[in-house]
Amino acid sequence: MKKYIIANWKENKTVEEALNWLIDFKTARSGNEESLNPIVCASFPLLYPLSEKLKQLNLNVDLGAQNISRFEKGAHTGEVGAFQIRSVAKYVLLGHSERRRDFNETAETLLTKIDQCLANGLCPVVCIGSGSELQELSERFTGKEIIVYEPPEAISTDGLFHPIDLNSIRKITAGFRALLKAETPVLYGGSVNPDNALKILSCPEIDGVLVGAASLNVKDFILIIEEGER
Ligand code: PGA
């Protein structure tokens, strides 16, 4: 399986900054990303300009949204439906601990949003913070999700990375695999950066990484991709 290297830009970047990131990415890389799956999860207003720019640059990078509405469509002011996202992105980040913390998203909301994604041909990238959280949900997963083991306490604060405990990550991701359908990719997220990417991406049980702070700087994101190619 090709490893996934997923950027989570969170609430960052103007349209201009986002397009410049892509141009710098193209300049630094050949545009040939065949050995890995790089994905950029960006805020809603960036997705359309990014999708147009990707076509223009002929760049093999996919896009993801960072959220979708739990409703199909209609009178839900301020919401963005999966049906509106599917023309500009392939993936949707769901269940992130920041959404649970800041928007009180529950497991039921997450499951409804996964259904919305799947009904619209979008791939849900679901963040799960612990083995017990996964245990509650795993039976409802279809095998079409990408699962990210992302302990909330491991997420960098203002770009200050926490040390990672690789043994514990390996043990927990192996436990995740035991609960999930065999075809489900299992990624790790939390303080991934160019200094620790190689040891994480070298683990056979880890299918990729979700990168927050270190993805904002294109040079750091490329360094992480290069570690995945070694
Ligand atoms: P971080 O964020 O890489 O800055 O720790 C990861 C995430 O929240 O997805």
Side-chain angles (χ1 to χ4, degrees):
M1 184 187 292
K2 286 201 229 174
K3 298 234 173 191
Y4 291 88
I5 314 285
I6 308 184
N8 175 11
W9 284 353
K10 308 192 179 184
E11 190 185 344
N12 288 294
K13 296 199 187 294
T14 61
V15 172
E16 192 186 357
E17 287 165 348
L19 296 181
N20 283 336
W21 188 102
L22 272 195
I23 292 164
D24 292 344
F25 187 93
K26 171 76 181 184
T27 309
R29 306 276 303 171
S30 63
N32 178 1
E33 301 297 333
E34 268 151 30
S35 60
L36 294 159
N37 278 316
I39 298 165
V40 174
C41 296
S43 309
F44 292 130
L46 307 182
L47 290 174
Y48 179 72
L50 282 172
S51 69
E52 290 296 299
K53 196 68 176 177
L54 282 170
K55 280 185 235 159
Q56 188 195 332
L57 295 174
N58 194 21
L59 205 49
N60 222 344
V61 172
D62 283 319
L63 294 176
Q66 297 174 9
N67 183 32
I68 47 154
S69 172
R70 68 192 166 95
F71 301 105
E72 199 178 320
K73 70 187 293 189
H76 307 290
T77 302
E79 289 298 278
V80 177
F83 80 100
Q84 295 169 303
I85 291 300
R86 67 182 177 209
S87 57
V88 284
K90 280 195 193 165
Y91 298 86
V92 181
L93 213 51
L94 293 177
H96 195 284
S97 58
E98 289 158 10
R99 295 218 50 94
R100 296 174 201 246
R101 182 193 69 203
D102 299 341
F103 303 96
N104 301 320
E105 284 197 0
T106 62
E108 279 313 310
T109 314
L110 166 65
L111 291 166
T112 312
K113 290 184 176 187
I114 291 175
D115 288 345
Q116 286 298 329
C117 280
L118 297 178
N120 283 281
L122 292 162
C123 176
V125 179
V126 182
C127 301
I128 300 283
S130 66
S132 56
E133 207 176 296
L134 181 65
Q135 238 154 9
E136 277 175 37
L137 292 166
S138 59
E139 279 188 10
R140 314 265 301 266
F141 290 160
T142 61
K144 295 200 174 115
E145 301 84 2
I146 292 173
I147 303 296
V148 185
Y149 166 49
E150 184 164 82
E153 66 279 7
I155 293 173
S156 77
T157 329
D158 298 329
L160 291 176
F161 300 116
H162 299 282
I164 59 154
D165 177 351
L166 193 64
N167 284 336
S168 148
I169 294 170
R170 292 187 76 167
K171 217 167 116 194
I172 294 171
T173 43
F176 271 37
R177 288 201 173 280
L179 291 169
L180 293 164
K181 304 224 165 28
E183 63 274 24
T184 305
V186 180
L187 281 52
Y188 169 76
S191 290
V192 177
N193 66 76
D195 294 334
N196 61 21
L198 180 61
K199 57 182 184 178
I200 301 169
L201 288 165
S202 314
C203 298
E205 62 275 72
I206 300 176
D207 297 315
V209 285
L210 177 63
V211 189
S215 72
L216 293 172
N217 179 316
V218 72
K219 288 198 183 110
D220 286 345
F221 192 66
I222 288 171
L223 285 173
I224 293 169
I225 289 182
E226 286 169 354
E227 298 295 25
E229 288 173 326
R230 285 224 236 161

